[in-house]
Amino acid sequence: MGATSKLLLIFLLLAGGVGSVFVVVALSTRQPIEDQTEMHRRGYAVRSKWFLFVTLFLLAAFVATLPFFPYLSRVTAQGPALRVPVIAQQFTFIMPSHLPLKQRIIFEVTSRDVNHNFGIYNSKGELIAQTQAMPDYVNNLEVTFQKSGRYTVRCLEYCGVGHALMEKEFTVGGY
Amino acid sequence: MKLYLAFGLIIAAVMMLVGLTMRMAQAQWLSIPPDVFYELLTLHGAGMIIALVVCAMGGLWFLMRRRISLSAPLAVAAWALLMLGVAGVVISVVFGHYAGLYTFLYPLPFIGSWPGWATGVFLIGMMLINIGWMIWCFQILGAVLRAYGGLRGALGWNFVWCPKAFAAAGHEPPPPEAFPAVVAGLDGLITGMVAMLLGVALLVRWIDPRVLIDPLWAKNLTYLYMHALANLIIYMLAAFIYVGLSYVTKREYHTSKVFVIAWWSSLVFILTNYFHHLYMDVSSQPQILQYFGELSSYLTAIPVTAVTVFGALMLVWRSRTRWTLGAVFMYSGLIGWVVGGIGAEIDASVPFNLHLHNTLWVPAHFHTYLLGGCLLFVMGWVFLLLESRSEHSTSKLMRSLIFTLSFGGMVVFLLGFYFGGATGVPRRYDTQPLPGPLIAQFATIGVIIMLLGFTLAFFEGLRLRSGFSADRMLWPQNLRDDIS
Ligand code: HEM
Ligand SMILES: [Cu+2]
């Protein structure tokens, strides 16, 4: 299963869960009325458990996501890699049209005019990596292409009326 | 404040038609040139945010007016400034073809295809809107502080830390709806001033292009402001849950310690969450802020789900609720808030953000909580007002018809954005790569069904209005008895 369908699944499951809770609570109004003090007593007991659960869950999620952060430390940024400068400008990208397979690449992305974004799509149309292209700044994006083929770069930051046309294709490996 | 509400709802209605037009264009059922598309997008984005802010301002003002004294002329002056600003935005877009969007990033507005004057008028318009907003914040904050014993009293400091002495002295904490007012006032003023700083810098740059601004600095300020403003809309409308839901469920919503602490944390998180907008500035933004941004974005969910929404569910649980349209809209708005929040939390996770940043996932989550949350709260409020005073009531058939059309259509429309986002379709594209257009076709049909439901609701509202009888008390005035 791809990352995208996983995301959708997580979202739909959680949203469905929330929806069901709301439906159950709405339907409970058909039951005989419950006194508010009684309801408070039981409700607060549930709430403290829920509070604990949400807090722990979110903290765990925070810790679990840490290893997947894309930020390079000073050491890794200087490690051996092919450095590929990318310059974005209204409405194109200036960059090589061929890149090597299975080699660590660090894209050094900047912009000549306004803010753009450098988003890499694989041949299946999945967005696999991205970083902002900001004038006066350079963003280092680390990518190792595992599959040869045709890739498309799209701009993912609104940069003017030609924004949707801002595309660039490149190939990877013996393609 | 009818003035606020009427204008907010009229702008929102018009902008929904603009939204439909854009979605049809993305579905390739309608051909509009890119410059016109982005002008419409500018209008829709700015218009909707302003429309809902105005509704929330009017609504909270109206609720607080029952408890503390607020000067109406000052509120009208703030409203007039807002309208002047809206006029500026409209002129800049319609006549100047400004298409830089409302959350533009420096230096875009100066390097566009539109004339320089349009940028200037747009900036001035947005600043007038901001001044109007800050006057409102100032007014409501001042009034609340005066009424509840300064910052300490209004924030419920002693109520939480020394409850015994507090109770012994015969004090009572501020009512629940005072907390959204304090938080909106404080955070609104802080971020509003930041926006003025940025606005002045941009105006100077507009007058003299030699003046340079740092793009990263500008981006941080832009999002601090816009994120807080968009967030505050729903936090302000939370006041309606406290008052509205306790009215329909015939139960009471009290200020409790947990409730107060939840609002303290929201006060902070509204300001610190915006860092998640800069996750993809992978090397330029300081790294520590990225980590902090994710943690803060996650923790925001605690006060909302464990206190406000949980409290609302407790109100409804086995209560004597009559599910009139007002009650249904208000209750469903809560679902939109939570589900939109889930979408937001997923996007606020850095590893997912890598795949979702600036895709249709972003409009997906904020339409869920703005359209499926905020707008429904406002509609719920309007219907509670109408229902409380009208001799007519809505038939069961009409209620289920409106419910099915509005929510069925809305779900299809919103899912379109989520699917688009998950498959990597970029946001703010007039012509999208596949499968964008295909998804947009389904979504457009959803929008049309939803708008049919809203239209029915509108006519039902008119019918209720025609049945007003003078001897019925206007909600929530009739709550007065149990307040004093
Ligand atoms: C009939 C209902 C609506 C429809 C059909 C609609 C449609 C759209 C579409 C197609 C976009 C552009 C998405 C993209 O490609 O980036 C958009 C953006 C947006 N919409 Fe809506 N929308 C609706 C209601 C609302 C409501 C109720 C609000 C808020 C109160 C809202 C606020 C926004 C905002 C803030 C943007 C972002 C503008 C930007 O990217 O600069 N919309 N909407
Ligand atoms: Cu672009």
Side-chain angles (χ1 to χ4, degrees):
Chain A
M1 196 159 53
T4 56
S5 17
K6 239 185 258 166
L7 274 177
L8 264 178
L9 202 68
I10 298 178
F11 171 73
L12 290 177
L13 280 178
L14 288 173
V18 169
S20 333
V21 170
F22 273 82
V23 170
V24 168
V25 172
L27 287 180
S28 79
T29 56
R30 292 189 176 170
Q31 289 174 24
I33 186 162
E34 186 171 60
D35 177 60
Q36 200 178 1
T37 36
E38 169 64 12
M39 184 270 300
H40 268 161
R41 198 181 53 73
R42 296 200 300 145
Y44 285 143
V46 178
R47 183 166 80 177
S48 32
K49 289 202 192 93
W50 170 246
F51 169 80
L52 216 68
F53 171 76
V54 176
T55 310
L56 290 179
F57 175 80
L58 291 170
L59 288 177
F62 176 65
V63 175
T65 57
L66 290 182
F68 301 100
F69 275 42
Y71 311 115
L72 300 172
S73 69
R74 223 166 263 137
V75 183
T76 50
Q78 259 136 41
L82 178 69
R83 277 155 204 285
V84 179
V86 176
I87 298 172
Q89 66 178 45
Q90 284 170 334
F91 296 99
T92 186
F93 296 93
I94 301 168
M95 63 174 287
S97 54
H98 184 79
L99 291 168
L101 185 66
K102 296 199 169 130
Q103 187 181 343
R104 184 169 182 251
I105 296 173
I106 292 182
F107 291 103
E108 298 172 333
V109 183
T110 188
S111 164
R112 188 167 277 169
D113 39 43
V114 299
N115 282 276
H116 301 275
N117 175 302
F118 175 73
I120 305 176
Y121 287 75
N122 66 15
S123 53
K124 282 193 273 176
E126 292 164 344
L127 175 58
I128 56 167
Q130 62 165 309
T131 188
Q132 295 290 134
M134 184 179 270
D136 301 350
Y137 287 87
V138 176
N139 280 307
N140 296 322
L141 178 69
E142 181 190 351
V143 182
T144 308
F145 293 104
Q146 300 293 355
K147 284 206 185 108
S148 61
R150 203 173 268 288
Y151 288 77
T152 309
V153 176
R154 292 206 176 91
C155 177
L156 293 179
E157 187 63 71
Y158 180 69
C159 54
V161 292
H163 172 54
L165 305 171
M166 190 163 160
E167 257 183 34
K168 166 94 185 175
E169 292 212 344
F170 67 89
T171 54
V172 167
Y175 188 79
Chain B
M1 275 263 94
K2 282 199 180 133
L3 217 54
Y4 276 78
L5 193 62
F7 262 86
L9 284 176
I10 291 170
I11 299 178
V14 176
M15 288 307 150
M16 281 204 260
L17 295 178
V18 172
L20 175 64
T21 314
M22 289 192 296
R23 210 63 183 123
M24 280 174 80
Q26 289 174 332
Q28 297 176 353
W29 284 344
L30 199 74
S31 157
I32 43 180
D35 47 339
V36 177
F37 180 90
Y38 289 114
E39 285 162 26
L40 290 178
L41 186 54
T42 308
L43 272 186
H44 177 82
M48 279 298 192
I49 294 289
I50 294 162
L52 281 192
V53 171
V54 167
C55 287
M57 289 161 73
L60 196 51
W61 196 91
F62 166 77
L63 288 182
M64 290 314 294
R65 182 88 190 269
R66 296 177 308 142
R67 298 176 177 281
I68 59 183
S69 75
L70 288 167
S71 133
L74 191 56
V76 173
W79 178 86
L81 273 174
L82 284 163
M83 289 305 121
L84 211 61
V86 170
V89 169
V90 171
I91 289 171
S92 145
V93 174
V94 174
F95 299 106
H97 301 284
Y98 173 83
L101 305 191
Y102 80 108
T103 41
F104 55 80
L105 296 176
Y106 171 85
L108 177 62
F110 304 109
I111 315 182
S113 48
W114 47 89
W117 72 261
T119 304
V121 172
F122 188 82
L123 284 176
I124 294 170
M126 291 300 265
M127 283 169 81
L128 287 177
I129 291 169
N130 189 39
I131 296 173
W133 159 240
M134 287 190 0
I135 291 178
W136 180 92
C137 291
F138 201 74
Q139 182 189 21
I140 203 116
L141 184 65
V144 170
L145 294 189
R146 217 176 310 119
Y148 300 111
L151 205 51
R152 230 178 138 109
L155 283 174
W157 190 260
N158 291 349
F159 171 64
V160 169
W161 297 122
C162 5
K164 286 217 184 81
F166 189 79
H171 292 313
E172 273 192 38
E177 64 268 28
F179 288 86
V182 181
V183 169
L186 280 173
D187 282 350
L189 280 178
I190 293 171
T191 56
M193 282 189 271
V194 168
M196 289 310 286
L197 177 68
L198 178 64
V200 170
L202 290 169
L203 272 186
V204 172
R205 160 69 178 74
W206 177 58
I207 293 164
D208 186 349
R210 285 173 312 174
V211 176
L212 292 181
I213 297 175
D214 183 273
L216 187 62
W217 177 85
K219 187 173 181 179
N220 272 280
L221 265 53
T222 305
Y223 279 114
L224 170 62
Y225 175 58
M226 276 305 173
H227 180 90
L229 190 63
N231 254 213
L232 280 176
I233 298 175
I234 201 149
Y235 283 93
M236 286 157 77
L237 288 172
F240 280 97
I241 306 171
Y242 305 144
V243 181
L245 267 189
S246 50
Y247 167 72
V248 297
T249 57
K250 304 193 177 60
R251 280 178 170 167
E252 283 164 42
Y253 199 110
H254 287 297
T255 303
S256 67
K257 258 193 253 178
V258 175
F259 174 89
V260 174
I261 294 172
W263 275 99
W264 290 351
S265 62
S266 292
L267 179 73
V268 176
F269 291 143
I270 289 171
L271 297 178
T272 54
N273 279 347
Y274 87 87
F275 294 120
H276 60 222
H277 290 276
L278 285 95
Y279 284 158
M280 290 301 116
D281 292 74
V282 293
S283 332
S284 40
Q285 179 81 343
Q287 258 181 46
I288 183 81
L289 294 180
Q290 313 284 23
Y291 291 88
F292 181 65
E294 188 182 272
L295 188 62
S296 157
S297 306
Y298 278 1
L299 296 182
T300 310
I302 300 174
V304 175
T305 58
V307 181
T308 294
V309 175
F310 200 94
L313 287 176
M314 272 176 34
L315 274 183
V316 174
W317 177 258
R318 290 180 65 179
S319 63
R320 257 189 310 174
T321 304
R322 271 193 59 236
W323 291 105
T324 62
L325 281 176
V328 168
F329 282 141
M330 212 155 245
Y331 188 68
S332 325
L334 283 170
I335 308 184
W337 189 358
V338 181
V339 173
I342 294 171
E345 293 296 355
I346 291 179
D347 196 19
S349 312
V350 175
F352 294 143
N353 190 260
L354 213 58
H355 302 287
L356 298 177
H357 176 71
N358 281 352
T359 66
L360 285 182
W361 193 276
V362 181
H365 93 265
F366 71 66
H367 278 91
T368 313
Y369 92 78
L370 288 176
L371 169 69
C374 298
L375 191 65
L376 290 185
F377 288 150
V378 176
M379 285 167 61
W381 169 37
V382 173
F383 271 90
L384 284 186
L385 285 176
L386 292 171
E387 285 157 357
S388 68
R389 238 185 143 185
S390 179
E391 280 170 338
H392 301 314
S393 60
T394 312
S395 69
K396 192 147 189 232
L397 176 72
M398 192 60 170
R399 272 185 285 161
S400 40
L401 201 62
I402 291 177
F403 182 82
T404 317
L405 290 176
S406 309
F407 295 103
M410 192 185 293
V411 169
V412 174
F413 166 55
L414 294 175
L415 278 180
F417 276 150
Y418 283 106
F419 272 84
T423 49
V425 180
R427 75 182 285 204
R428 296 173 167 172
Y429 269 31
D430 58 327
T431 36
Q432 300 169 332
L434 284 171
L438 215 68
I439 296 174
Q441 294 176 355
F442 283 100
T444 304
I445 296 172
V447 175
I448 292 171
I449 296 175
M450 176 182 82
L451 289 182
L452 274 180
F454 282 0
T455 313
L456 274 186
F458 175 72
F459 284 109
E460 181 59 23
L462 284 187
R463 202 181 66 86
L464 290 175
R465 177 73 183 76
S466 72
F468 266 20
S469 80
D471 53 316
R472 276 177 176 250
M473 283 282 249
L474 179 66
W475 173 81
Q477 243 82 7
N478 53 357
L479 286 177
R480 265 236 158 91
D481 318 334
D482 49 77
I483 287 164
S484 56

